[in-house]
Amino acid sequence: MNRLFPLFLAAMLSTSVFAQDDVEKVKSVVKSGRCSDAIAPLQKIYSSSFRKLDGEKASVMLAECYLRTGKKDDAHDVASRFLEYHVKSAYRERMELARAVVDVEKGSVFDGVEAMLRVLSYSTNPAARSRAKDVVIQTLAASLLTADQLQSLLEKYPVDREVMGWMQLQIGRECQNAKRYRAARYWYKKVLKTSSSENLQKTAKKGISALEGLGAGFPTVLVLAPLSGDYAEFGAAAVQGSLLAYEQAGLKDKVNIIFQDTHADAAIALMRTQRAVNQDSIIAIVGPIMSAPATSVAAWLGSNFQHVPMLTPTATDAGIAKLGPNIFQVNITMDNLAQTIADFAIKCLDIREFGVMSPLGEFGTAMSESFTKAVERRGGAVVGFRNYEEGRPDYKTEFNLLRDVRFSQVNRRRNIAKGLSDLNTVNPRDRKLYLADSTSDFPGLFIPATNPADAGAMVSQAAFNKVSGTYLGTSGWYGRELLIQGKRLVEGSYFSVPSLDMNKGNIAYTNFVKDFTARWGVEPGEDKVSGLSYDAANIIFSALAAVSGQDDDMTHYINATKDFKGIYGDIKFRHGANANTRIVTVNKGKFEVVTACEKQDVAEKNAKPKKKK
């Protein structure tokens, strides 16, 4: 491990970010290589001016000098304090890298690499990105991470093609050594598609040359749906939608289509999928329509048959599409809804810190977890979290606990600025006055309510209990009850919704309703199962028409296509999940779709509601 540290340090200190200022003299000492002489004056500026610009710059140089002189614990402490206090600093990436360097050197390789990949994912600073990339590649080349760790990082941070190529190559090697040739072939092919590095390409080709491809047979599309039991009505709608698409495509005697009853059971769905794949030349799958069966089938198919695309029309659980490059979710996932609002809040509202009030239950848990991950990936942080039980008339206890968390953070920052060694020191009088009279401000307050009425009520409760900020939500907010319950307090709030909820009435949808009614004698249901199944099947048939259907061409075609025209609007796959969402705000008592990211306009719009609170 020690042999890698000079490489990490060289990458970390390769460039300077400072211009002419009051710390120029100390900077000159640092640049001359005499860090031991610079530490004392830097410590003085760091202690006396930490909260000021000179203190920011001195902190960065001090951390680097500690690294140069081997004082890794001191460097880690300075970087950690800096990152906690200077949330929006222009030097944030540099300090994240400093702390990550120490983590890697001290053996916390996964944590260190993850921090560097996080910088790669959100930083727009070319120098910071270059340094992070160099350190990550050096770590990967040293084979310091396991295959499981690599796959976890690859799924979470697909941020740079060369870095991804290194991860894919290492995973492919492990698969080849374990004689998992189909998986190895997939990962080596991913290297060829991902990286332009000559060495990586040569190594990947050596593995591919020994692996045999799958044979092709009569092409068959498999539809998986619950055709009996409690969910048979939804299964019938899926069959009707996909069969209508098949008939309109004119594929009779060219492509076969078969249907399997999943009983809405994960084990049965997997068993019948395995049997169909073994007995028929399955080229694609529509379904399953429920999240649990979809997850079980996707996990197996994504590990063994990456050339067979599976499109689940309606499953919304987060992560199903991540189970393989051939797995797609046509419906908007809760994960994407949470990511959309997190992305908007950070990029357009310039928010970096968030409080979360999450309703108990699967929806609230999934939304808050996805939101937290999305915020962290973009360089932000959830600094306060509480659960609440929907339907109660009062949440004073929950909001007081949230305010207490915020006080602790504000207090720690005061102590950092004062240079105290114990950052948790609390003045009881200050705490009492703060909790009694002060309004706790969370720059962003995320409330993933399950319905509009509850969302409006929670905003009112937040204001009444002295918790302010820009209120954020997801699809549960969209409805007239939000305006009734929240009144003027929801002005300037923002939430993400699926585009498919806002596009009924277009020509494609009107034609679908007409054709569906003519074919089946009834109109399609409001649950969208038939419509989304129709879209899923049409995507498969368009892919089949565009490629040979052999190997992984269909999967590649779907992944490479920018968008597909669906009856509810465009379907835009991002990492397998439909990412076509919208941001909606409340302006003068009406819902408005946010069509542009304009920080100044958004800030002006939010100014008046905050004053009224």
Side-chain angles (χ1 to χ4, degrees):
M1 177 68 80
N2 289 333
R3 64 187 175 84
L4 290 173
F5 188 68
L7 296 171
F8 295 149
L9 190 54
M12 179 64 201
L13 304 177
S14 59
T15 61
S16 177
V17 298
F18 301 117
Q20 296 289 329
D21 54 35
D22 293 338
V23 295
E24 185 65 25
K25 291 183 179 180
V26 184
K27 173 192 165 186
S28 298
V29 177
V30 175
K31 292 185 69 176
S32 69
R34 295 179 289 118
C35 256
S36 57
D37 296 333
I39 287 178
L42 283 172
Q43 286 175 331
K44 183 176 180 180
I45 300 172
Y46 169 77
S47 299
S48 63
S49 305
F50 180 82
R51 72 185 77 183
K52 300 177 182 178
L53 182 59
D54 279 357
E56 283 188 56
K57 297 177 180 180
S59 298
V60 178
M61 285 194 288
L62 182 60
E64 293 181 354
C65 279
Y66 279 146
L67 287 175
R68 287 188 181 186
T69 55
K71 298 180 179 180
K72 303 179 186 65
D73 290 338
D74 290 332
H76 195 280
D77 180 66
V78 170
S80 297
R81 286 172 177 252
F82 180 95
L83 292 169
E84 185 172 349
Y85 185 82
H86 293 292
V87 178
K88 295 184 179 182
S89 173
Y91 314 126
R92 184 171 183 82
E93 297 103 319
R94 197 172 180 87
M95 292 298 262
E96 282 213 49
L97 290 175
R99 186 168 63 177
V101 165
V102 179
D103 284 336
V104 172
E105 167 63 11
K106 296 180 70 174
S108 300
V109 181
F110 182 86
D111 293 338
V113 172
E114 183 174 31
M116 297 173 208
L117 291 174
R118 185 167 59 247
V119 170
L120 274 175
S121 71
Y122 77 81
S123 176
T124 58
N125 184 325
R129 289 180 58 83
S130 177
R131 289 192 295 273
K133 179 178 176 178
D134 288 344
V135 178
V136 167
I137 290 178
Q138 291 290 348
T139 308
L140 294 174
S143 300
L144 298 174
L145 295 170
T146 67
D148 288 341
Q149 289 175 322
L150 287 168
Q151 289 195 53
S152 174
L153 292 172
L154 184 61
E155 292 170 1
K156 191 174 181 180
Y157 298 101
V159 293
D160 180 89
R161 296 179 71 85
E162 188 175 0
V163 171
M164 290 169 62
W166 270 101
M167 292 183 180
Q168 292 159 354
L169 179 66
Q170 297 289 46
I171 297 171
R173 283 172 170 170
E174 293 231 357
C175 291
Q176 186 174 12
N177 292 336
K179 298 183 179 181
R180 295 171 54 205
Y181 300 129
R182 191 173 291 145
R185 180 173 179 271
Y186 166 74
W187 286 110
Y188 287 141
K189 288 183 67 178
K190 291 291 287 183
V191 174
L192 297 179
K193 294 177 181 178
T194 301
S195 176
S196 59
S197 167
E198 184 177 348
N199 289 334
L200 290 177
Q201 295 253 337
K202 284 183 178 179
T203 306
K205 287 177 180 178
K206 287 180 181 178
I208 291 174
S209 63
L211 301 175
E212 185 178 350
L214 298 175
F218 189 78
T220 301
V221 174
L222 171 65
V223 178
L224 297 167
L227 305 179
S228 60
D230 294 339
Y231 300 98
E233 180 181 353
F234 301 114
V239 169
Q240 290 171 329
S242 54
L243 190 55
L244 177 62
Y246 172 75
E247 292 171 352
Q248 290 180 342
L251 294 174
K252 188 177 181 180
D253 299 327
K254 298 178 183 178
V255 176
N256 192 21
I257 186 168
I258 61 175
F259 306 91
Q260 291 289 327
D261 184 6
T262 66
H263 294 276
D265 182 273
I268 293 175
L270 177 58
M271 177 189 67
R272 295 192 173 177
T273 302
Q274 291 173 329
R275 184 175 65 190
V277 170
N278 289 330
Q279 293 179 353
D280 300 282
S281 297
I282 302 298
I283 60 168
I285 296 175
V286 175
I289 66 171
M290 315 292 286
S291 288
T295 301
S296 66
V297 174
W300 177 76
L301 201 70
S303 298
N304 298 283
F305 296 93
Q306 291 90 1
H307 66 290
V308 178
M310 173 191 129
L311 285 83
T312 171
T314 52
T316 59
D317 277 6
I320 296 176
K322 296 178 181 178
L323 295 174
N326 54 324
I327 310 302
F328 303 91
Q329 293 179 260
V330 179
N331 202 2
I332 301 294
T333 66
M334 290 184 282
D335 199 32
N336 268 337
L337 285 169
Q339 287 183 29
T340 297
I341 191 62
D343 196 53
F344 177 82
I346 290 175
K347 292 183 178 179
C348 296
L349 304 182
D350 199 27
I351 296 173
R352 292 293 184 277
E353 295 180 318
F354 300 85
V356 175
M357 283 290 286
S358 178
L360 293 169
E362 293 182 6
F363 182 86
T365 299
M367 283 293 188
S368 58
E369 288 180 354
S370 294
F371 179 80
T372 299
K373 291 178 182 177
V375 164
E376 291 175 348
R377 281 194 58 186
R378 289 156 176 80
V382 170
V383 296
F385 179 92
R386 295 303 304 174
N387 284 119
Y388 71 93
E389 184 179 353
E390 287 185 313
R392 288 170 44 201
D394 180 72
Y395 297 98
K396 180 178 178 60
T397 299
E398 287 81 357
F399 280 108
N400 278 346
L401 290 170
L402 197 64
R403 295 178 71 238
D404 194 37
V405 170
R406 188 58 172 169
F407 169 78
S408 297
Q409 184 183 26
V410 171
N411 184 68
R412 279 178 61 87
R413 288 181 178 172
R414 289 174 180 169
N415 292 338
I416 290 173
K418 293 176 183 177
L420 300 182
S421 57
D422 184 0
L423 301 184
N424 294 315
T425 298
V426 177
N427 183 315
R429 181 175 177 275
D430 288 347
R431 182 179 183 278
K432 183 178 180 180
L433 289 174
Y434 180 91
L435 296 180
D437 300 322
S438 300
T439 296
S440 296
D441 181 70
F442 287 88
L445 184 61
F446 179 62
I447 307 175
T450 62
N451 61 82
D454 183 68
M458 287 303 294
V459 169
S460 298
Q461 286 274 322
F464 180 78
N465 287 286
K466 300 180 181 179
V467 177
S468 66
T470 299
Y471 300 120
L472 308 168
T474 59
S475 56
W477 285 48
Y478 191 37
R480 186 169 176 268
E481 292 85 356
L482 176 74
L483 307 178
I484 296 173
Q485 290 288 338
K487 298 182 174 61
R488 290 180 297 174
L489 293 171
V490 297
E491 286 282 322
S493 61
Y494 298 90
F495 50 93
S496 56
V497 300
S499 290
L500 60 86
D501 282 351
M502 309 182 74
N503 283 294
K504 282 189 175 182
N506 61 35
I507 295 176
Y509 178 76
T510 301
N511 289 339
F512 167 71
V513 172
K514 178 181 177 181
D515 295 340
F516 187 94
T517 305
R519 175 64 176 86
W520 302 110
V522 293
E523 290 189 356
E526 289 294 320
D527 50 45
K528 303 186 183 71
V529 175
S530 58
L532 292 173
S533 299
Y534 177 83
D535 281 344
N538 274 327
I539 291 172
I540 289 172
F541 299 142
S542 67
L544 183 61
V547 300
S548 64
Q550 297 180 355
D551 217 15
D552 64 346
D553 289 345
M554 289 180 67
T555 294
H556 178 71
Y557 172 84
I558 297 173
N559 278 309
T561 302
K562 184 177 181 181
D563 55 61
F564 295 92
K565 302 301 178 183
I567 62 172
Y568 302 106
D570 290 350
I571 296 168
K572 301 179 180 181
F573 290 121
R574 183 176 64 193
H575 307 306
N578 185 0
N580 193 3
T581 57
R582 303 280 184 89
I583 294 293
V584 176
T585 187
V586 179
N587 184 25
K588 297 179 181 178
K590 295 181 180 180
F591 293 123
E592 284 187 1
V593 175
V594 179
T595 57
C597 180
E598 300 176 2
K599 293 183 181 180
Q600 185 176 358
D601 290 348
V602 168
E604 290 175 356
K605 183 187 292 185
N606 286 340
K608 291 183 179 179
K610 287 187 177 181
K611 289 180 180 178
K612 291 176 181 178
K613 296 174 191 176

